[in-house]
Amino acid sequence: SNLRKGVLNTRPPPFRYAPPAFSAPVARRMPLCCGRSVQQDVSEPSASRRTGGRVSPVGSQKELTSDTNASSTLDDGEDNLSVRHTQLHVRARSEHPRYPRRVQVLDAHVPWSSSIEGYRPTDFVAKSVLENDCTVKEGGWADPAEPDREAIARRGSYEHEKRRLPVRFDELGRPLNPVGRTGMCNRGGLGKWGPNHAADPIVTRFDPASGRLQVAAIVRSDNGVIALPGGMVDAGEIVSATVRREFAEEVLNLPSEAQRSEVTRLLDQLFAGGGGGKVVYRGYVDDPRNTDNAWMETTAFHFHATGAAARLQLTAGGDAARAFWLPVSPSSKEYASMLADHRAWVDQAAATLHKGGGASQSASLASRPPPATSSQPAAQGLDARLKSLGQARGRQ
């Protein structure tokens, strides 16, 4: 059929939902065709092969545990909201410039509970991931080629804990994306099987000149997208340390030792040893690097800069092509083009500032998904109220 060929018709045929034909896990090694496929680098998409895997019974798997209990306070309503927020990932099914072409997956076919005859996702893992196998290379940042269920469980998954669901594995022992199919299996360009943890700092200020709310933002060098500074959590690193490190690397690339010394002092004040920021979001990220077996999860922290920290001059470094203070306003075209998830987190942080909570809002925000985008008039009203709030604080 056209679906098996990866061709998306403009008018897809009617789809009948049916429960998946679960089968017990089969103890066997990865097929040789998959072994050849994973050896291909991102520059050789034409050599990628396609393979599929059946879902093993949920009850036969161990439940993942998170290394933090910040999301364990979810009530049923918040948990359901989170599920609705991520139930149909979009960017995770989109093309990535360094990936081969994915098999196209219709919205109705995303959930693992839906049945697809002959689903054969593109099997791909980047050469750089294989070269950084931590069991082969000292200091390597990637998991070994064969997934280790115990290692995945120790790492923990924010999204699985938030949903109170166990991780599921396919018949080859590979963890399954908690949201559903992406059209690509294996790890792609991600180093870890299962969740790959990142951290994103939301650093806001009221512009000393205009009184308008701004957020520290970057333009990514790989795709030109406006986003929050952030990056992967290193092995053994606490998330709050990652937030500070990534902020310093991507937006405070300073040439002189004297400048770095002064900025270090200001960062100590801003990040307060990791305890000054509050969690705005923690969970699954709809990311074009995601696959059926590896996906991004993040923790977004909010820090509000005041005094000398609010006058920091941002200079791009690391993976950033540009670093700047971005106006948090619907009238800003750059803000409107910001990565959608990131913009939603900033909107949520802005809402807490308007309520007077600043960055001291309760950490229970960790369990909530980003809010829906407000209507234009409401957003403009919030922009005006935040500006007046900033001017009032400037007079204090």
Side-chain angles (χ1 to χ4, degrees), residues 45 48-51 92-96 98-105 112 119-126 174 176-177 180-189 288-294:
S48 64
R49 303 291 295 271
R50 305 189 190 281
T51 185
R93 291 180 283 157
S94 66
E95 298 303 322
H96 187 285
R98 298 178 183 175
Y99 281 22
R101 189 173 182 83
R102 297 175 184 266
V103 168
Q104 295 191 38
V105 179
W112 295 111
Y119 174 60
R120 295 175 65 82
T122 302
D123 186 293
F124 172 71
V125 61
R174 301 176 298 188
L176 290 172
N177 188 305
R181 298 179 178 91
T182 67
M184 180 172 291
C185 64
N186 216 308
R187 286 177 288 168
R289 293 170 292 181
N290 292 354
T291 71
D292 288 0
N293 312 118

Side-chain angles (χ1 to χ4, degrees), residues 24-309:
V26 178
R28 64 185 178 92
R29 296 184 61 81
M30 185 177 292
L32 182 60
C33 65
C34 295
R36 288 198 298 269
S37 175
V38 298
Q39 299 299 324
Q40 303 303 323
D41 195 5
V42 291
S43 60
E44 302 175 72
S46 60
S48 64
R49 303 291 295 271
R50 305 189 190 281
T51 185
R54 292 186 298 276
V55 181
S56 58
V58 177
S60 65
Q61 312 304 338
K62 294 181 179 179
E63 184 171 358
L64 292 182
T65 58
S66 172
D67 57 0
T68 175
N69 62 4
S71 62
S72 63
T73 57
L74 284 169
D75 60 31
D76 291 339
E78 290 171 328
D79 192 29
N80 290 335
L81 283 172
S82 177
V83 172
R84 286 198 298 272
H85 170 65
T86 56
Q87 65 180 351
L88 289 178
H89 46 202
V90 176
R91 286 189 295 276
R93 291 180 283 157
S94 66
E95 298 303 322
H96 187 285
R98 298 178 183 175
Y99 281 22
R101 189 173 182 83
R102 297 175 184 266
V103 168
Q104 295 191 38
V105 179
L106 299 173
D107 288 354
H109 298 164
V110 169
W112 295 111
S113 57
S114 65
S115 177
I116 302 181
E117 181 184 354
Y119 174 60
R120 295 175 65 82
T122 302
D123 186 293
F124 172 71
V125 61
K127 183 179 178 181
S128 60
V129 173
L130 298 175
E131 290 175 342
N132 281 278
D133 183 336
C134 63
T135 63
V136 176
K137 178 181 179 180
E138 184 177 358
W141 43 264
D143 283 350
E146 296 290 336
D148 183 336
R149 294 193 185 192
E150 292 186 2
I152 296 170
R154 286 195 302 271
R155 186 178 305 135
S157 167
Y158 303 141
E159 191 65 25
H160 280 88
E161 181 177 351
K162 191 162 61 176
R163 296 182 180 215
R164 297 190 183 93
L165 293 174
V167 66
R168 295 197 291 176
F169 294 84
D170 65 16
E171 64 177 6
L172 301 181
R174 301 176 298 188
L176 290 172
N177 188 305
V179 176
R181 298 179 178 91
T182 67
M184 180 172 291
C185 64
N186 216 308
R187 286 177 288 168
L190 298 176
K192 311 295 184 185
W193 290 104
N196 289 253
H197 291 152
D200 295 291
I202 304 169
V203 178
T204 58
R205 73 168 187 178
F206 287 109
D207 182 9
S210 67
R212 291 185 177 274
L213 184 67
Q214 297 176 323
V215 63
I218 64 167
V219 175
R220 290 179 173 173
S221 58
D222 59 344
N223 56 17
V225 172
I226 296 176
L228 295 170
M232 306 304 294
V233 179
D234 291 340
E237 185 178 40
I238 60 174
V239 176
S240 57
T242 306
V243 169
R244 173 175 173 149
R245 172 175 56 79
E246 289 292 335
F247 185 78
E249 288 179 359
E250 295 196 341
V251 304
L252 295 173
N253 183 29
L254 302 174
S256 72
E257 182 63 33
Q259 288 175 310
R260 288 194 292 270
S261 177
E262 173 62 15
V263 165
T264 297
R265 184 184 66 82
L266 294 177
L267 287 180
D268 288 340
Q269 297 176 8
L270 176 60
F271 291 97
K278 296 304 175 183
V279 178
V280 172
Y281 176 77
R282 174 172 282 142
Y284 181 87
V285 179
D286 186 7
D287 191 288
R289 293 170 292 181
N290 292 354
T291 71
D292 288 0
N293 312 118
W295 58 91
M296 290 296 302
E297 295 184 359
T298 196
T299 304
F301 284 91
H302 178 216
F303 301 85
H304 187 66
T306 59

